[in-house]
Amino acid sequence: MGMTNDENQRSAELWFNYSRARISRRTLVRSVVAIGGVGAVQALLAACGGSSKNTPVSSATSASTSASTSASTSAATTAPTTAATTSSGGATAAASPSSAAASTAPLIYNTQPNPKLPPQKLIYAGGQDAPTIDPSDRTDYSIGALTMQLYDRLFRYEGGWPQPIDPCLCVKYEASTDATEWTFNLTDQAKFHDGSPVTADAVQYSINRTLQMKKPRANSLLPIMDLNSVTVPDSHTVKIKLTQPYSELLRALDQPIMNPTVVKAHEVNGDMGAAWLVDHEAGSGPFTIKSWTVGTAYELEAVDDYWQGWPGDSHLSGFTWQIVRETTSQRIGLISKQYDVVDTLSADDVDQINAQAILNAQVNYGILTGYTKLNDQKEPTNDLNFRLFLAYAFDYQSYLKVINNYGQLLTGVIPKGIAYFDPSVGGFQTDLDKAKEYLSKTKWANGGLTIDFVYVTGLTFEQQVGEIWLAQLAKFNIKVNLVPKVWPDIVTGCKAPDSAPVMNMIFTGYTIPDQWFFYQWYSPNWDRPSGGDYNTCSFFKDDNFNKLVDQVRSTSDEDTKKKVYSQMQQIIHENVPDIPIYVQPNIVGLQNKVQGYKYFGAISVDFWRLWVDDSKENTKPSA
Amino acid sequence: MRLRYYILRRLLLFIPVLIGLSIITFVISHIVPGDPVGLAAGPGSTPQQIEALRKQFGMDKPLPLQYVTYMQNILHGDFGRSLMSRHSVGGDLRAFFPNTIELVVLSMLIAVCVGIPLGVVSAVWRDKWPDQFSRVFALGSISVPSFWLAIVLQIVLSMHFGWLPVGGMYDPRAAMPARHTGFLLLDTLIDGDPHAFIVALKYMILPAFTLSLGSIAFIMRILRADVLETLNSDWVKMLRANGLPERVILFKYVLKHSLIATVSVIGFIIGYSLGGSVVIETVFSWPGIGLYAVSSALTLDFQPVMGVTLMVGLIFLVVNLLTDLTYGVLDPRIRYG
Amino acid sequence: MAETSSIRATSGGALRRWQEEHQSRIEDTRRAMYRFVQNRLSLLGLCFIVILILVAITGRWWVPYPQDATGTIHASDRFLAPLHAGRIFGTDELGRDVFSRVILGTQTALFSGVIILAVAISIGVTIGSVAGYFGGWIDESLMRLTDMMLAIPGIFLALAITAALGPGIIHAIMALSVTWWPGYARLVEGQVKSAREQDYVEACRSIGAKPGRIIFSHIIPNIISSVIVKASMDFGFAILSLAALGFIGVGAKPPTPEWGSMISDGRTYLPQYWWYSTFPGLAMFIAVFGFNMLGDGLRDVFDPKSRL
């Protein structure tokens, strides 16, 4: 939806004040309209207090595009009446939206296609395979991009970056103040592909199936839920009672909802349908599977009467996800019009793509961040002074030049787009004098040691970081040994401090703010018998920090959260467990005629929002 | 009778060779320092999850027992499951192998159609410019790395001139033809769809041609040597003495004889092409086993790697046997038994 | 032989004595060299090789930016076109001089090729000659072992080995040597088998020479020519296989300049920054082409059948 961080913040504050009865409904509506237009009001009230019998479709569409000031006054009078007919949940509806932006998106979109823009097929060249689309198994950018189209979830997050929380199957939610009891009201408009309605039973079944199968998808839910957590008071209400308080449940609840009847019908030997769901779908999403050739191409076609409609001027009739691993082939295919969208271009391709009249390259910065992780439990990096030396020794500007300026240097310990980022904490810059000063405080004031820099073989951008380390540290008489390894090797090495290297180049990223701290620097995640994984391979340990992480995950009070996040960032900055290098851009190459692209923080695209307009073939999108 | 005996003996020898191959590959995949199970379970997985996955794949048992179980399953046609995708390896092999075989067969056809004439020309006009040109062309084409040449061809023929597609197996905007045999070209012919056949050929021609270059050079060289030898042998001298024109000698007698030489290298060429397919398939996004083997090897997913190794080994042994038998049929001097 | 006795009397006659004893061999070699020189392409190949060897040995003394091969980077000089700012072949994405790295890469390429072949030949010739000489079940089992190794294209085995041991040029060389020896074993086995029946071997055996001595002092020198021919043609393929492993991602460790890795790294920048991939590719072409031509010429020389 394109609301800025500021607007999100303001709407959140407004809602907060309203729920505390500090402002009247009238004031709320007027203020919200001023921020985001008609749609904002409807969506806000719809998500947090309206019934599913929403206002007519037409006004919903105009909301997203126009600021419609003239319409706003008239609509503003209608909106409150709709909202007024429903109970807004009373005192318990203190829905502090946590880090979520108050949604400005409507529930139902345009269901009638524009006759001037008939739906067309799109060819997408993806760099990665999707070996399984079982919604309880695991997710990565390719799997996620496809399951998102085949299934619906309770919410949609792809409306922009930072990710808003827009209604999908859930139209209204409430949370208790201690963030342990949550109630979700579902829409009655949603239908599975076999025609049956999406009910609360399906939600319960899907969540429980994931919890039972205990595959990677369950990792964010298992700590806070068990098989008794989800209850179904009626056919369109889901109640979740968490075993531990968790304020970010909305973002963690991205479970695609499956059709229990269909899944159970394909059960073999009690596998809960796992074998069938690897390459078949049982969803309610905007697309279904036309053909599925693993390792080669996945063909999806649109569901004409998809219940939620289509947000753009038109939509796709279908799309094919072709697996093209070579970026050169992707680029050549885009230029020769064989592909319409390609997803893993490199920084040096951007200029070449933009130079073509029919193409455009979109460069966005999201969550994918590269850290040089330092082993805090091993010499020499167990010495804080040595780590500070490294932080000031790295040549950040050179690296930026090497990647052709398509990268964002970090100005803190997490990217600045992440919620609760505290700009006052600051980052590091190259300062060779300071570096020398810190080095002289260590045992190796004159250098004379060799350290290993481990990275994933074949990844040129990781190799380049290593080569800069090599060049810089050579100035201090320290030798860097570049060690390329295959990925499984690296993951195994990260189990314990002894087997882990001194320097390890790791790329990571999380959509939920607390995960940045919980997965990387929370010591119980590595200081245990089973060891750690690639996230924790800096082996940072600080009891005070651990307490702060626990605190921030269980509270839903905005002020506390802001304070604690700042404190955590300060601790990490002072202790330098890792050297944050840069945020890697997501670069997508598109034919100009492909419309509707919106960056939402991930590598891929949301096909539901796209359509093809041949008249725009030579019109580059305005920035 | 003796021929049957020979075939039987060779077939029986397949078994120890394949067993040895499987042991070698098994040992290599298991002395790896990395732990593929932890990787396959995903980040943030609990130790219980990892152990459960390990049990599911039977990897908690001692190595020799794992090997025996694996071989037993093979006899039932079960090649195990990929650790990363959980797909059955047998199913994956059935999907990918025909594509590679199709590519290799087409590249061999090209190699034969181009290599034989080149070899003959080289021999007949020995040391004159056709010979020099053919030799330079053949040897030059294999002196550059195949992946570089593949990309250059892509840039020139696909991007610049737009004559041929960049990669993939078929036009993603058109309906994929029905699959019967697993070989796309054959399927389009079976369905009597010439348009689809042309499209499929267009997608296949560039990877097949790039793959064939090494084989062209090899066939050309072998043929040149053989034809040279034959042209100067006594029996040809005799034909000349009898007044037969040179052209007749060449096409009616010498060529037939030289085909024997070509057959003898078919085995080698297939092996070379299978190896070269790894790189070619990556560049042209051709869904074959080369790509499959590389991605499995890089994630230490040993069951697919073993499956591919055994299949390739088997193909190689079969091809060698067929080559030797054909050799025996063509050349009466060589009989087995 | 009357001349011999008179020569023996003169001092400094040692050289002449040696010449007399090996007279036929010397004449053969002279004839061979004459024929070799007649083949222009092979001569060209030999020239290429000689230049390469010279470059490999002397490169580090006259290369303009030797430090670019050991880790120095110049981020501001990124992707300079050839003949700009003193960089003959331009620079790569880290600003390193492509010319210097290509020249210094010659050393790596030739060195790796020599090692791979030396190891492969040592193992292969030994196994092949033992199998061919002794025959029987030794022959059968060793040949089955060879068949087994030959039954799978080298790159798969090399991939498995490097995936297990990790990337790095030494591992890649090891892996390739292991996959290369069966070819030589097979070649040598056949030749030793037929050589075994020859008269001179019969003669050696009758005077009680041990099998080892027969094999190494007598049989092998006679069949070494085919091994040399195969080796010279394999050299090119060895370097190319190393490049293919680099392409997949299990090749030399940076910042070592290695032609295959340079071509592989540079391929994503084609055709815009074409010099990054093209010059190492050209160098590789010269090397492989040279060795192939040399091998062709040597084969023409040694192989009596094509000596027409």
Side-chain angles (χ1 to χ4, degrees), chain A residues 18-47:
Chain A
Y18 169 67
S19 61
R20 294 278 186 277
R22 289 186 201 154
I23 57 175
S24 69
R25 190 171 217 114
R26 233 189 151 75
T27 323
L28 170 70
V29 167
R30 279 228 190 96
S31 318
V32 172
V33 165
I35 296 178
V38 171
V41 182
Q42 292 173 336
L44 184 61
L45 295 171

Side-chain angles (χ1 to χ4, degrees), chain A residues 444-460:
Chain A
W444 305 276
N446 296 314
L449 73 155
T450 307
I451 45 185
D452 281 348
F453 175 89
V454 170
Y455 66 98
V456 178
T457 186
L459 292 186
T460 326

Side-chain angles (χ1 to χ4, degrees), chain A residues 131 138 214 216 329 338 340 492, chain B residues 35 41 49 84 87 166 283:
Chain A
R138 61 183 190 272
K214 293 208 167 71
S329 306
Q338 194 174 342
D340 297 317
T492 317
Chain B
D35 177 20
Q49 282 175 313
M84 286 306 283
H87 288 167
V166 165
V283 175

Side-chain angles (χ1 to χ4, degrees), chain A residues 401-466:
Chain A
K401 283 205 202 106
V402 165
I403 53 176
N404 205 16
N405 286 317
Y406 284 112
Q408 258 182 2
L409 296 174
L410 281 152
T411 50
V413 303
I414 57 178
K416 64 172 183 259
I418 305 295
Y420 303 106
F421 170 75
D422 185 350
S424 67
V425 171
F428 291 101
Q429 266 150 21
T430 318
D431 188 334
L432 292 182
D433 292 323
K434 262 207 185 132
K436 198 155 189 71
E437 195 191 305
Y438 281 110
L439 183 63
S440 59
K441 294 189 196 158
T442 69
K443 276 198 283 184
W444 305 276
N446 296 314
L449 73 155
T450 307
I451 45 185
D452 281 348
F453 175 89
V454 170
Y455 66 98
V456 178
T457 186
L459 292 186
T460 326
F461 47 87
E462 291 193 3
Q463 181 181 316
Q464 288 159 347
V465 174

Side-chain angles (χ1 to χ4, degrees), chain C residues 89-242:
Chain C
F89 285 168
T91 57
D92 63 9
E93 87 274 21
L94 287 167
R96 299 179 295 200
D97 182 30
V98 173
F99 179 71
S100 306
R101 286 174 63 83
V102 167
I103 298 292
L104 292 171
T106 318
Q107 201 179 4
T108 320
L110 293 184
F111 183 71
S112 332
V114 165
I115 302 239
I116 292 175
L117 287 180
V119 173
I121 290 178
S122 318
I123 302 179
V125 167
T126 314
I127 290 188
S129 40
V130 164
Y133 189 81
F134 290 110
W137 64 268
I138 299 181
D139 184 19
E140 279 289 322
S141 49
L142 283 176
M143 280 303 108
R144 287 316 122 223
L145 176 68
T146 313
D147 272 351
M148 207 188 316
M149 300 295 292
L150 270 180
I152 178 162
I155 199 166
F156 286 115
L157 216 47
L159 195 63
I161 294 177
T162 40
L165 297 175
I169 198 163
I170 301 293
H171 294 155
I173 291 179
M174 278 167 53
L176 285 176
S177 317
V178 164
T179 56
W180 227 282
W181 68 258
Y184 290 96
R186 219 193 214 173
L187 175 70
V188 167
E189 187 248 4
Q191 304 226 325
V192 168
K193 230 185 191 158
S194 49
R196 189 177 52 169
E197 309 305 326
Q198 304 236 344
D199 293 338
Y200 70 92
V201 173
E202 198 58 50
C204 285
R205 235 182 292 163
S206 60
I207 51 173
K210 288 218 186 63
R213 189 177 159 77
I214 301 180
I215 295 178
F216 283 100
S217 307
H218 297 276
I219 299 186
I220 289 196
N222 279 315
I223 60 173
I224 201 78
S225 55
S226 55
V227 173
I228 291 179
V229 169
K230 184 166 166 41
S232 61
M233 301 216 282
D234 274 349
F235 203 94
F237 285 120
I239 304 181
L240 284 175
S241 303
L242 209 56

